[in-house]
Amino acid sequence: MAVGVFDLFSIGIGPSSSHTVGPMRAAAVFAEELKSIGQLASVASLRVDLYGSLAATGHGHGTMTAILLGLEGFHPDLILPEEVEERLAAIAETGTLQLAGSVPLPYGVKDMVLRPLTILPRHTNGMTFTVSDAGGEVLHSATFFSVGGGFIVREGEEDAAQQELEESKKELPLPFRTAAELLKHCQNTSLGISDVMRINEEDSRTEEEIREGLLHIYSVMEGCVEVSLKREGLLPGGLKVRRRAPDWHERLARAAPQGKPGP
């Protein structure tokens, strides 16, 4: 199986891996490219086009705000919750983002071009980033697709990405594509599902790296629960969904023996 534990448990801001994490990663990649090709200082204007599903449901999934953070150089697995709130508040107040973390550029959510009825040939979650200089000449442009699970693919590289995926499946000690194939490995080797996954992970990571990675995922999950139990009000995204965790925790605490919710 090419998608391992650290791909399945992708750390990033929510609520959606394909509509939030993926677009933020794509925007961060684009910002880094501007630096690497030496065009960042010449940027005078920015255009972001969102297509299909990203445009249709972007407001509810925080797609636009995630892209703003990515354009500033933040990555979904590294940014802290307090940084998210701080930077989005600053952009909303000033109407200016810091492109790649260094170039002030007048831009905000309202400036993004939404094309919900236009579906790009390769995928419904398409987005195009374009920057131009003061004379209107295009300096750099790139189209990405958010293909699910936080994964992104650049336009023109779809076939290469698929080939890489197929090759990685063949290289693993116990490859599988379906649950039936996974269970067959368990039957043939007398191993459990977790053992099969561990053997595949050890093909590309050391035992120490796997342990540290799993503990990091656990730590992030635990931290999310702890923070969520203390926060009230509405969830971000514009759909006015009320935060329910504090109320449910309080109800369970009252109903459980000795006032402590448990299994």
Side-chain angles (χ1 to χ4, degrees):
M1 183 179 181
V3 180
V5 173
F6 301 106
D7 299 314
L8 290 173
F9 291 95
S10 179
I11 296 175
I13 63 174
S16 169
S17 59
S18 60
H19 285 64
T20 318
V21 175
M24 184 173 176
R25 283 180 174 162
V29 168
F30 183 76
E32 289 170 355
E33 288 178 353
L34 290 175
K35 294 174 64 175
S36 65
I37 64 178
Q39 295 284 12
L40 185 58
S42 301
V43 174
S45 64
L46 165 70
R47 178 181 173 118
V48 178
D49 291 81
L50 300 181
Y51 301 93
S53 182
L54 289 184
T57 66
H59 285 292
H61 284 119
T63 302
M64 291 77 163
T65 50
I67 286 176
L68 293 179
L69 294 170
L71 288 170
E72 288 206 328
F74 291 104
H75 288 262
D77 56 331
L78 299 176
I79 191 170
L80 299 174
E82 53 267 30
E83 289 179 307
V84 172
E85 297 178 358
E86 176 186 338
R87 287 309 310 149
L88 291 181
I91 293 172
E93 181 180 351
T94 64
T96 301
L97 65 80
Q98 301 295 321
L99 187 61
S102 61
V103 176
L105 198 66
Y107 201 83
V109 169
K110 62 179 177 57
D111 298 308
M112 296 188 186
V113 181
L114 307 183
R115 301 177 179 273
L117 300 181
T118 302
I119 310 297
L120 297 183
R122 286 292 188 171
H123 201 280
T124 184
N125 294 333
M127 67 202 101
T128 299
F129 303 93
T130 305
V131 288
S132 304
D133 61 17
E137 181 179 351
V138 173
L139 299 172
H140 188 47
S141 182
T143 296
F144 297 88
F145 302 102
S146 181
V147 296
F151 296 105
I152 58 172
V153 176
R154 182 191 295 271
E155 184 179 44
E157 298 180 355
E158 300 94 338
D159 293 338
Q162 183 62 32
Q163 183 178 355
E164 182 180 349
L165 182 62
E166 293 299 326
E167 290 177 352
S168 66
K169 290 178 181 178
K170 299 175 184 177
E171 294 170 357
L172 293 178
L174 297 172
F176 61 91
R177 299 185 186 182
T178 65
E181 292 178 357
L182 170 59
L183 293 176
K184 190 67 174 178
H185 282 310
C186 294
Q187 180 182 359
N188 293 339
T189 61
S190 299
L191 296 171
I193 291 176
S194 61
D195 297 314
V196 172
M197 293 302 298
R198 175 179 53 79
I199 290 173
N200 284 339
E201 292 291 349
E202 288 177 346
D203 192 59
S204 59
R205 292 178 174 86
T206 66
E207 182 177 348
E208 182 180 355
E209 288 173 336
I210 294 172
R211 177 176 174 79
E212 288 181 357
L214 292 176
L215 288 175
H216 177 58
I217 292 173
Y218 173 79
S219 174
V220 172
M221 288 182 172
E222 190 176 43
C224 287
V225 172
E226 183 178 350
V227 170
S228 297
L229 292 177
K230 299 176 182 178
R231 303 191 70 176
E232 298 179 345
L234 300 177
L235 290 169
L239 296 182
K240 298 184 179 180
V241 177
R242 185 172 60 86
R243 297 180 187 271
R244 296 184 174 91
D247 289 344
W248 278 106
H249 183 264
E250 184 178 347
R251 294 182 191 180
L252 290 171
R254 290 198 301 263
Q258 300 179 350
K260 294 183 178 180

